Every structure is written in C-alpha cells, then in structure tokens.
Amino acid sequence: MTIRSPILILVNDEDLVFKALADPTRRALLDSLFVRDGQTLTQLESELEMTRFGVMKHLRLLEDAGLVVTRRQGREKLHFLNPVPIRLIHDRWIDKYTEGHTRALLDLKAELERDEPEDRT
Amino acid sequence: MTIRSPILILVNDEDLVFKALADPTRRALLDSLFVRDGQTLTQLESELEMTRFGVMKHLRLLEDAGLVVTRRQGREKLHFLNPVPIRLIHDRWIDKYTEGHTRALLDLKAELERDEPEDRT
DNA sequence: AGGATAGGTGACCGAATGGTCACATGTCAA
DNA sequence: TTGACATGTGACCATTCGGTCACCTATCCT
C-alpha cells in the first residue's frame, strides 16, 4: 500500500500550470496574492476591471493548476499562493552549473536598467 | 544618450514568454535544446510528429519571447536555449525568505515519489 | 424567518491559437 | 549553372480561450 501525499496532488499536471500562467489576469491575481496572501474572491475582484464571474473562472484555473490553494472559512473562500509549481519550472530548464551565469546576467541587466528605467506589463 | 543592451532586448515582453511556454510542443523544443544546444530547424523537426512549418512557427514564438537565441551559419540557422526569462519568472513569485521552504517541500516530494513513481506529460 | 452577502454553474459569443499547404528565397556543391 | 537542400511567407480552417450573463446555493446577521 502506498501513501498519497497532498503535495503530489498539488503539482500533478504541468500543462495546467503553463496554461494558467499564460493569461495576464491570472498573473495579476498571483501578484496580488504574493503581496497579500489569503484573500477572498470579492477582495481579489475589487482590484481588477472584470466581472466577478471572470475572476472566479481564472481562480478556478489557478486552483486546478496547483498555483493557488484554497481554504473555506464560513461562507468565504480564502486563496493562498503556492510557489512549488513555479520552482519546478525553474528547475526544469536552469542547469545547476550554469545558474551562476544566469544570475550574473540578471545582475548586469539590473545595473543597466538603473540608468534607463523601462515600463513593463 | 542611453545605451541599449542586447540583454534588454532579449527579455523585453513578459507576456510573450508565458504565451510561448503555454504550448507543449514549444516546451518539448526547449527540452530538446536543453539536452543538445545549437540545433537546426531540420534537426528539431525530426524529433517531433509535426510538419516543418509547424515547428518553424513555434520556434518563431520562442525566439520572439527571448527563450531561444539564433545564429545563422551559411544556409543553416542554429538555435540556442536562453535561461534568463525562466529565471525571471522564478524570481517573481518565489520569495527569497520562503525559498528554503519550497526547496524542502520538493525534497519531500522527491522522497515520496521514489517509492511511488508517477507518469508525467 | 428573511433579507443581505459570498460564492457557484451552464450556456453563449467574439477573438486568439495550432497546424497545414502552396509558394518563394537563399545557399551549397558538382 | 543547375539542381538539391535549408529556411521563410501568407492564407486558410478547426479548435480553444476570455469574458459576460441569467440563474442558483449556502451562510451570516438582525
């Protein structure tokens, strides 16, 4: 008999993770949870220019992908950010031996952008 | 007058990166380049069940996203994996103070899966 | 109890995406 | 120079995706 861990369930399907990250609204939701964890649907909706139904649909995809974990509290549903799938993406294509080079490039990039700030989505 | 670095051009639009990663064929291309870097279009096509045109279209998106860098050599075009955008995704949602916890969770997951191997896409 | 509030379901439509093909350009090698 | 090879372009079609709405269920509070 094998024991099935909750973590295995959280990060089951990689395709769901990448599909979930492909939408800017869903990335904004992750950003919001990164700043303040455990928000409800209504709280998250108030920060976006979208209907509640749209936000709900996006949160559903994030939850299916394991990027967001939820906990019910009375009639409210709290949403929490789960960093594990993101870390797995990193580990997939970043070689441990070349990770130093990547870090060095990013440091250089930050150095250059300090003089020339650039707008991002 | 400001100097525009090549690195800034490589990682310009985050949306292109996530859209590029959202397709399983494009992820397979990155996997192939991770194993053997600098492959041509024809080499990459031979590993996939798809027309040359389809593969070309996918490589175009990966290049626009900065995930793949190319170099022409005669009539051939060599493709190289660029890890910088992946590292940026990681840094966005992995807090440096909680990174240890994430690593610990993944170690535990690996421990559990050693007894119970699971198939992935 | 009963109204207000938080969350959920299924259908629907316009827009974007994945994949293929006919055709075109540039390069090597005999 | 001529034919073979590697790569590129634009149009086209089936499918998927993002967002909204009408309608429904569950919980809280007076």
Side-chain angles (χ1 to χ4, degrees):
Chain A
M1 167 185 174
T2 59
I3 301 177
R4 177 160 286 273
S5 150
I7 299 170
L8 293 179
I9 299 172
L10 288 182
V11 289
N12 41 7
D13 192 344
E14 64 150 51
D15 194 57
L16 294 180
V17 176
F18 288 105
K19 288 269 171 55
L21 290 175
D23 184 84
T25 303
R26 290 194 284 270
R27 291 196 297 274
L29 286 170
L30 293 181
D31 288 335
S32 177
L33 290 179
F34 185 71
V35 174
R36 184 156 61 106
D37 220 5
Q39 297 186 66
T40 69
L41 166 62
T42 314
Q43 286 174 330
L44 291 167
E45 173 205 348
S46 66
E47 304 175 18
L48 298 177
E49 304 280 332
M50 193 184 300
T51 329
R52 179 172 57 88
F53 310 97
V55 179
M56 202 185 323
K57 217 167 178 178
H58 286 302
L59 284 174
R60 168 66 182 271
L61 292 181
L62 287 171
E63 194 176 351
D64 289 346
L67 286 162
V68 162
V69 187
T70 60
R71 198 179 69 217
R72 302 229 43 155
Q73 196 169 69
R75 59 176 167 179
E76 292 182 337
K77 188 176 182 180
L78 308 182
H79 299 76
F80 299 89
L81 181 62
N82 179 30
V84 172
I86 305 286
R87 178 73 205 194
L88 284 173
I89 294 177
H90 173 272
D91 290 353
R92 178 170 182 174
W93 289 301
I94 304 285
D95 194 340
K96 290 188 174 42
Y97 300 101
T98 62
E99 189 165 356
H101 303 77
T102 307
R103 171 50 56 198
L105 279 179
L106 286 175
D107 290 344
L108 173 59
K109 174 174 177 295
E111 183 84 11
L112 291 169
E113 283 179 342
R114 201 182 308 149
D115 304 329
E116 179 198 9
E118 203 179 6
D119 50 342
R120 295 296 162 86
T121 304
Chain B
M1 169 184 174
T2 59
I3 302 176
R4 177 159 287 271
S5 152
I7 299 171
L8 293 178
I9 298 171
L10 288 183
V11 289
N12 42 8
D13 193 342
E14 64 150 52
D15 195 55
L16 293 180
V17 177
F18 289 105
K19 288 268 170 57
L21 290 175
D23 185 85
T25 302
R26 290 194 285 270
R27 292 196 298 273
L29 286 170
L30 293 181
D31 289 336
S32 177
L33 290 178
F34 186 70
V35 173
R36 182 155 63 106
D37 220 5
Q39 297 186 67
T40 70
L41 167 62
T42 314
Q43 286 174 329
L44 290 168
E45 172 205 350
S46 66
E47 305 176 15
L48 297 177
E49 303 280 334
M50 193 183 301
T51 328
R52 180 174 55 88
F53 309 96
V55 179
M56 201 185 324
K57 217 166 179 178
H58 286 303
L59 284 174
R60 168 68 182 269
L61 292 182
L62 287 171
E63 193 175 352
D64 290 346
L67 287 161
V68 162
V69 187
T70 62
R71 198 180 69 218
R72 301 229 45 152
Q73 197 169 68
R75 60 178 165 179
E76 292 181 338
K77 188 176 183 182
L78 309 182
H79 299 78
F80 299 89
L81 181 61
N82 178 30
V84 172
I86 306 287
R87 178 71 203 195
L88 284 173
I89 294 176
H90 173 272
D91 290 353
R92 178 170 182 175
W93 289 301
I94 304 286
D95 193 341
K96 291 187 175 40
Y97 300 102
T98 62
E99 188 166 356
H101 303 77
T102 307
R103 172 51 54 199
L105 279 178
L106 286 176
D107 291 343
L108 173 59
K109 174 174 177 297
E111 182 85 12
L112 291 168
E113 283 179 343
R114 202 180 307 149
D115 303 328
E116 179 197 10
E118 202 178 6
D119 51 342
R120 293 297 160 85
T121 303

